[in-house]
Amino acid sequence: MDTNIDSMRKVLPAPAQAPVLTPNGLPIHNVTPNVTPVRATGAFALMDSLRQHGVEHIFGYPGGAILPIYDELYRSEAAGHVKHFLVRHEQGAAHAADGYARATGKVGVCFGTSGPGATNLVTGIATAQMDSIPLVIITGQVPRAAIGSDAFQETDIYGITLPIVKHSFVVRDPKDMARTVAEAFHIASSGRPGPVLIDVPKDVGLEEFDYVPVKPGEVKLPGYRPTVKGNPRQLVQALKLIRQAQRPLLYVGGGAIASGAHAEIKEMAERYQIPVTTTLMGIGAFDEHHPLAVGMLGMHGTAYANFAVTECDLLIAVGARFDDRVTGKLDEFAAHAKVIHIDIDPAEVGKNRVPDVPIVGDVRQVLLEMLKRDREGTKLLDSSRTQSWLRRIDRWKQDYPIVAPIYPDEISPQELIAEVGRQAPHAYYTTDVGQHQMWAAQFLKNGPRRWISSAGLGTMGYGMPAAMGAKVAVPDQQVICISGDASFQMNCQELGTLAQYGIAVKTVIVNNGWQGMVRQWQQAFYGERYSSSNMQPGMPNFELLAQAFGVKGMVVRHRDQLQDAIATMLAHDGPVLLDVRVKRDENCYPMVAPGKSNAQMVGLPKPPQLTTEQQVESIICSNCASENAPGNKFCPECGTKL
């Protein structure tokens, strides 16, 4: 049998052959020509197809129904084709594949068995779907004859996941395996990315057939043609609005990261002198040290970003979806602005806000074409057109800065995160979900793909397994997880995976003893009734917990320990868990309360009092943002009464 298996591993060229047919008698288009089929199992076809698509790392957990695939995985690992990472819970596998995909832009891959193994993947699949992350999830299933009989560990994972995947397959014939894998990778990574499920019955993995590989790009999917280039007429309309706008704002989302459009966004911002705000998913698409950057907008965004989106006269939405945590009260979001909306998914354009200029296409390709058209134009740009607007935003930055408070006897969460960012400015950062996530978004300055956070689903327990996947993807880079004491306990068992494989993730627990954001909402909106949000009773000793898994554990209780502890953590050659005890009742501000507009923030610092000279220096027009002399009664630019 071993000799037979070994013979399957070599696919030899041969003369041209008749088309390969599916079980329905239809030809499989564009399969590799001049290849002799070889006898192989469905499991071998799966593993070889993954290799054909460049898969080097897989995260997973075995079980009965997926054992034929794991048996073939054993041989693939022995041959050096792939590296498998045994997680301690299938949810960790999905999150690790997700972090891997976000860090690289490649398709992440994870395995799980049938029944509870498959259902344990569901949260990770939904996380990837909400944030448009390309995954291929492969699950084992009971044998074909047992499907529908309530067999041991049978669940209809195909049906369960239909609302949370981009597409799903059940492989009922091993002859379909190679084509299915090729289609899955194509669908997951093209257009708006997303997760794709492949469910493989156990006997399909065992059955032998005449295998012919299908290489990347060799499948055609009739009816699936994502629009990449924007409509020329709409591009012209968008450029016209951009040239006319006096208070424009670029509103950049995760689509800009997915398409790799950071260089084009920078060129557009600088060419037209447009300030740039990002969503939580868009962090890293624009350099936050740039003078045109105004940081994140939305519920816990910067005051100046929220004021800017309220006052702008043109909003250019780039790969963003007008999420409720961004818009606040939707009918007051950029209420006085015309809107240009650029997105590759036509279902998102106009879903929450009807744009004046809708542009469906790949963000990077659309921006490239817009910039090309403008460079070819003859009309010179008016560089002074937005200067009053930029000066107004700069004043907001001065009046409402994001600062880390310093308390005499306690470490503030903000100063902890700021210090980590100071010592590791170029690291890849993952987060869990809650207050620490928002503080990390406010204080860390990240480059493209170096910010990895569950934005749409808000998944607690995401941070450490996502960091694990990111570190596997970029082993020579520093990878740091910013977590909370409540979030960390959701998937703390993945410390075992870090220890087993020596994955040098550094995890920082912002430990305030609460479900922090829940406590803040209970304080603000529920009469300070702290129902089931106190995590101190039953909290483990995180330092000893880490050591029990074979991971270096550390704890910091006082400010004078903080800098050295972070430096020690970063210098350690291996995984580290750093537990930092911070001020328990610190709240995350600014905050837009539910049902309020973005301009109605609580927790803003009081702006400094202006001197008499500053007060009479100029008057800012409320309509066009022009600066006017103190004696003006009307704005000469637009005629508005001052």
Side-chain angles (χ1 to χ4, degrees):
M1 182 63 183
D2 287 343
T3 304
N4 186 34
I5 289 291
D6 290 340
S7 69
M8 295 177 190
R9 281 159 178 69
K10 197 167 185 182
V11 180
L12 301 175
Q17 59 190 52
V20 180
L21 303 181
T22 69
N24 296 326
L26 300 174
I28 300 177
H29 295 288
N30 293 343
V31 297
T32 305
N34 304 324
V35 172
T36 300
V38 294
R39 294 300 291 176
T41 64
F44 172 81
L46 171 64
M47 293 307 304
D48 188 66
S49 296
L50 293 177
R51 183 176 65 84
Q52 298 275 359
H53 285 78
V55 175
E56 298 175 326
H57 303 100
I58 297 170
F59 305 89
Y61 200 100
I66 202 171
L67 280 182
I69 292 171
Y70 267 84
D71 191 50
E72 194 58 52
L73 170 64
Y74 178 89
R75 297 184 176 93
S76 293
E77 280 200 285
H81 295 158
V82 71
K83 173 69 174 175
H84 177 269
F85 294 87
L86 173 64
V87 297
R88 269 51 183 176
H89 189 286
E90 288 89 354
Q91 184 177 337
H95 292 332
D98 179 303
Y100 185 97
R102 296 193 202 217
T104 61
K106 299 178 181 178
V107 177
V109 178
C110 60
F111 284 179
T113 194
S114 65
T119 57
N120 282 344
L121 291 165
V122 167
T123 297
I125 296 171
T127 300
Q129 172 74 354
M130 286 288 281
D131 289 349
S132 304
I133 306 304
L135 298 187
V136 168
I137 305 100
I138 295 165
T139 53
Q141 184 55 274
V142 299
R144 286 168 289 186
I147 292 176
S149 69
D150 291 332
F152 177 67
Q153 291 192 333
E154 180 192 359
T155 57
D156 178 13
I157 195 63
Y158 177 93
I160 288 169
T161 58
L162 275 177
I164 55 169
V165 294
K166 187 175 179 184
H167 196 67
S168 298
F169 297 91
V170 178
V171 183
R172 296 185 180 273
D173 190 312
K175 294 186 180 69
D176 296 334
M177 186 70 77
R179 176 178 54 84
T180 297
V181 171
E183 290 182 3
F185 273 78
H186 177 61
I187 293 169
S189 58
S190 59
R192 181 179 181 174
V196 176
L197 175 79
I198 303 176
D199 196 34
V200 184
K202 185 176 183 178
D203 57 330
V204 170
L206 293 169
E207 185 175 319
E208 291 189 359
F209 72 108
D210 291 334
Y211 168 59
V212 176
V214 179
K215 294 183 181 296
E218 291 185 343
V219 293
K220 291 182 179 180
L221 298 174
Y224 178 71
R225 293 188 181 88
T227 302
V228 176
K229 295 184 177 181
N231 181 285
R233 182 178 298 177
Q234 292 164 331
L235 296 179
V236 170
Q237 291 176 346
L239 283 170
K240 183 178 179 181
L241 288 180
I242 291 170
R243 282 183 167 275
Q244 293 173 344
Q246 294 184 325
R247 302 188 306 281
L249 182 67
L250 275 161
Y251 154 45
V252 178
I257 300 290
S259 68
H262 50 281
E264 290 70 29
I265 289 169
K266 181 175 184 289
E267 183 178 349
M268 175 159 280
E270 291 179 342
R271 180 171 180 79
Y272 301 107
Q273 287 297 288
I274 305 174
V276 180
T277 183
T278 64
T279 67
L280 187 65
M281 280 293 296
I283 289 175
F286 189 73
D287 182 3
E288 292 192 41
H289 296 96
H290 196 288
L292 289 171
V294 294
M296 183 180 72
L297 82 166
M299 179 171 283
H300 292 285
T302 66
Y304 33 93
N306 284 333
F307 286 144
V309 79
T310 302
E311 298 292 332
C312 68
D313 64 1
L314 176 65
L315 187 67
I316 309 162
V318 180
R321 58 187 181 89
F322 292 84
D323 174 71
D324 63 293
R325 289 297 171 103
V326 165
T327 63
K329 190 175 182 181
L330 184 59
D331 58 3
E332 294 184 22
F333 180 74
H336 307 295
K338 291 184 180 297
V339 174
I340 300 168
H341 192 176
I342 306 168
D343 202 289
I344 198 165
D345 185 356
E348 289 295 347
V349 179
K351 184 176 77 174
N352 294 324
R353 173 70 180 266
V354 178
D356 297 271
V357 181
I359 303 177
V360 175
D362 176 78
V363 165
R364 183 171 180 268
Q365 294 300 319
V366 170
L367 294 180
L368 275 171
E369 183 61 27
M370 288 176 69
L371 290 165
K372 177 184 176 183
R373 285 172 175 269
D374 196 61
R375 291 190 210 103
E376 293 172 350
T378 57
K379 185 177 179 181
L380 295 176
L381 289 171
D382 180 6
S383 59
S384 65
R385 181 175 40 83
T386 64
Q387 292 309 302
S388 294
W389 173 235
L390 296 177
R391 285 195 295 271
R392 189 176 184 186
I393 291 174
D394 285 341
R395 183 166 296 174
W396 286 329
K397 288 182 180 181
Q398 295 168 20
D399 290 349
Y400 304 103
I402 297 288
V403 294
I406 304 296
Y407 301 105
D409 302 317
E410 296 177 288
I411 301 170
S412 75
Q414 299 95 319
E415 69 174 311
L416 162 60
I417 292 170
E419 179 61 25
V420 173
R422 186 188 69 81
Q423 293 198 34
H426 304 298
Y428 284 73
Y429 284 94
T430 72
T431 78
D432 273 292
V433 172
Q435 287 178 317
H436 67 273
Q437 178 189 32
M438 296 297 101
W439 283 317
Q442 290 173 349
F443 286 92
L444 298 175
K445 310 298 183 185
N446 303 87
R449 295 201 174 277
R450 291 174 186 257
W451 170 260
I452 297 171
S453 188
S454 172
L457 197 65
T459 305
M460 294 174 68
Y462 172 83
M464 189 169 67
M468 181 168 69
K471 183 64 176 176
V472 168
V474 289
D476 297 329
Q477 299 288 326
Q478 191 74 263
V479 178
I480 301 171
C481 169
I482 304 294
S483 189
D485 53 281
S487 283
F488 179 77
Q489 293 181 70
M490 290 277 187
N491 274 316
C492 60
Q493 73 281 343
E494 297 308 327
L495 286 169
T497 309
L498 298 181
Q500 177 180 348
Y501 299 100
I503 304 171
V505 166
K506 319 300 183 186
T507 302
V508 179
I509 298 179
V510 184
N511 189 345
N512 60 11
W514 291 97
Q515 298 163 26
M517 193 62 80
V518 173
R519 184 206 61 78
Q520 181 171 334
W521 278 55
Q522 288 173 334
Q523 178 187 355
F525 309 120
Y526 295 92
E528 300 186 18
R529 294 180 292 276
Y530 301 115
S531 175
S532 301
S533 55
N534 185 359
M535 297 298 291
Q536 277 200 327
M539 180 183 291
N541 183 318
F542 290 116
E543 182 182 20
L544 295 181
L545 178 67
Q547 292 172 8
F549 277 100
V551 170
K552 182 178 178 62
M554 303 169 64
V555 62
V556 170
R557 293 183 174 87
H558 306 289
R559 179 176 288 107
D560 58 6
Q561 303 171 314
L562 186 60
Q563 289 189 15
D564 288 345
I566 292 171
T568 300
M569 174 189 74
L570 295 175
H572 181 69
D573 185 20
V576 179
L577 180 64
L578 176 62
D579 174 18
V580 183
R581 307 299 172 86
V582 300
K583 190 173 185 294
R584 287 207 74 201
D585 58 353
E586 184 72 7
N587 284 336
C588 185
Y589 294 126
M591 179 178 178
V592 178
K596 302 295 184 182
S597 75
N598 280 24
Q600 296 173 286
M601 290 166 279
V602 296
L604 290 180
K606 291 183 179 180
Q609 293 295 319
L610 299 179
T611 65
T612 303
E613 290 79 8
Q614 289 173 320
Q615 289 175 348
V616 300
E617 182 180 305
S618 63
I619 300 174
I620 304 296
C621 174
S622 62
N623 180 53
C624 71
S626 298
E627 290 196 23
N628 288 265
N632 286 7
K633 301 297 183 184
F634 294 90
C635 174
E637 294 291 331
C638 66
T640 300
K641 186 176 181 180
L642 300 174

